[in-house]
């Protein structure tokens, strides 16, 4: 059975479900990537393109860990879609967070909620640094999924959203990316390697940078 749920929030926010098209059935993403190629293509269409403008670049971060010095170990690949390389638009940043790399508990900033939080380790510093890279209204996309710890299913979304808000991001949307394909009136699962039993989707969060912290 497909295990879907929505994220608890103080206000009602849209939740979308993305299914692969007939040509979108492919091998599961290799560790530590989270999203399949068809979902990356849909991100380009939905988030980097605006009518009458050049497409924004998509900067794809693949996060292996959140220990001290994580930035130096996080590869960043720039999208080479036609027209994106010369665009002056603020890039859209996609951070893929494999569930095995996520901390089990919140990490507190040593410096409060101001700019100094950008020198923190772990999640507080990561979100502050990304916020400073994005102009006001810039988009950060977070891709991850649930994991199972000692038999218990752990959902990282609440932790990620709370930490991002502290750094100045506004939570816009939750997208469910289904690992499977529709056949008649049912979904045939194609779960990623290592996913908990019954879990055939990943989560994509859309966050917008509010104001300027530079």
């Amino acid at each position: 059975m497909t295990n879907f749920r929505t994220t608890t929030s103080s206000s009602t926010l849209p939740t979308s479900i993305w299914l692969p098209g007939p040509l979108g059935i492919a091998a599961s993403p290799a560790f530590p990537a989270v999203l399949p190629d068809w979902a990356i293509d849909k991100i380009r269409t939905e988030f980097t393109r605006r009518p009458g403008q050049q497409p924004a670049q998509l900067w794809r971060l693949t996060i292996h860990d959140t220990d001290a010095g994580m930035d130096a170990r996080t590869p960043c690949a720039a999208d080479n879609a036609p027209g994106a390389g010369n665009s002056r638009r603020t890039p859209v940043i996609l951070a893929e967070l494999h569930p095995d790399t996520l901390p089990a508990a919140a990490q507190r900033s040593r410096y409060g909620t101001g700019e100094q939080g950008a020198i923190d380790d772990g999640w507080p510093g990561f979100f502050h640094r990304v916020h400073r890279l994005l102009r006001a209204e810039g988009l950060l996309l977070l891709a991850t999924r649930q994991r199972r710890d000692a038999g218990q299913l752990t959902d990282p979304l609440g932790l990620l959203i709370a930490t991002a808000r502290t750094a100045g991001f506004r939570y816009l949307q939750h997208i469910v990316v289904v690992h499977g394909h529709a056949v008649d009136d049912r979904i045939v699962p194609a779960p990623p390697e290592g996913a908990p039993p019954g879990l055939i989707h990943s989560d994509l969060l859309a966050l917008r940078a509010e104001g300027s912290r530079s």
Side-chain angles (χ1 to χ4, degrees):
M1 174 180 289
T2 305
N3 182 4
F4 291 146
R5 81 278 175 271
T6 57
T7 302
T8 300
S9 173
S10 58
S11 60
T12 302
L13 291 169
T15 299
S16 301
I17 296 178
W18 285 3
L19 279 163
L23 301 179
I25 303 167
S28 297
F31 179 91
V34 173
L35 298 179
D37 290 343
W38 67 263
I40 302 298
D41 291 338
K42 193 166 179 64
I43 285 172
R44 293 190 188 102
T45 300
E46 298 287 336
F47 292 103
T48 70
R49 298 174 183 171
R50 293 181 182 176
Q53 298 186 29
Q54 289 181 308
Q57 278 195 318
L58 179 66
W59 290 3
R60 189 175 176 184
L61 309 180
T62 307
I63 297 181
H64 298 261
D65 67 83
T66 56
D67 295 331
M70 60 180 286
D71 290 0
R73 297 185 298 275
T74 300
C76 177
D79 181 43
N80 292 318
N86 297 321
S87 176
R88 295 185 179 182
R89 290 180 54 198
T90 302
V92 175
I93 296 180
L94 167 65
E96 292 186 89
L97 321 171
H98 193 279
D100 291 344
T101 70
L102 291 167
Q107 297 167 296
R108 293 185 178 274
S109 169
R110 292 174 293 173
Y111 302 99
T113 59
E115 277 188 38
Q116 288 180 309
I119 67 175
D120 276 330
D121 294 326
W123 287 123
F126 170 79
F127 282 113
H128 275 18
R129 290 188 293 274
V130 172
H131 191 282
R132 294 183 70 178
L133 285 173
L134 295 171
R135 302 170 189 168
E137 303 300 304
L139 288 176
L140 169 64
L141 307 177
L142 299 177
T144 188
R145 59 177 176 267
Q146 294 171 317
R147 69 183 183 195
R148 192 173 295 278
D149 297 314
Q152 298 295 319
L153 207 58
T154 300
D155 187 344
L157 300 191
L159 168 62
L160 293 173
I161 293 169
T163 310
R165 280 175 169 162
T166 298
F169 284 96
R170 180 162 59 95
Y171 170 38
L172 299 179
Q173 188 177 15
H174 172 209
I175 298 169
V176 173
V177 179
V178 176
H179 298 285
H181 58 280
V183 175
D184 297 327
D185 60 349
R186 63 191 180 94
I187 296 176
V188 177
E193 183 178 353
L199 186 70
I200 63 166
H201 76 282
S202 293
D203 298 289
L204 182 65
L205 303 179
L207 304 162
R208 187 182 300 281
E210 296 286 285
S212 175
R213 284 163 127 57
S214 59

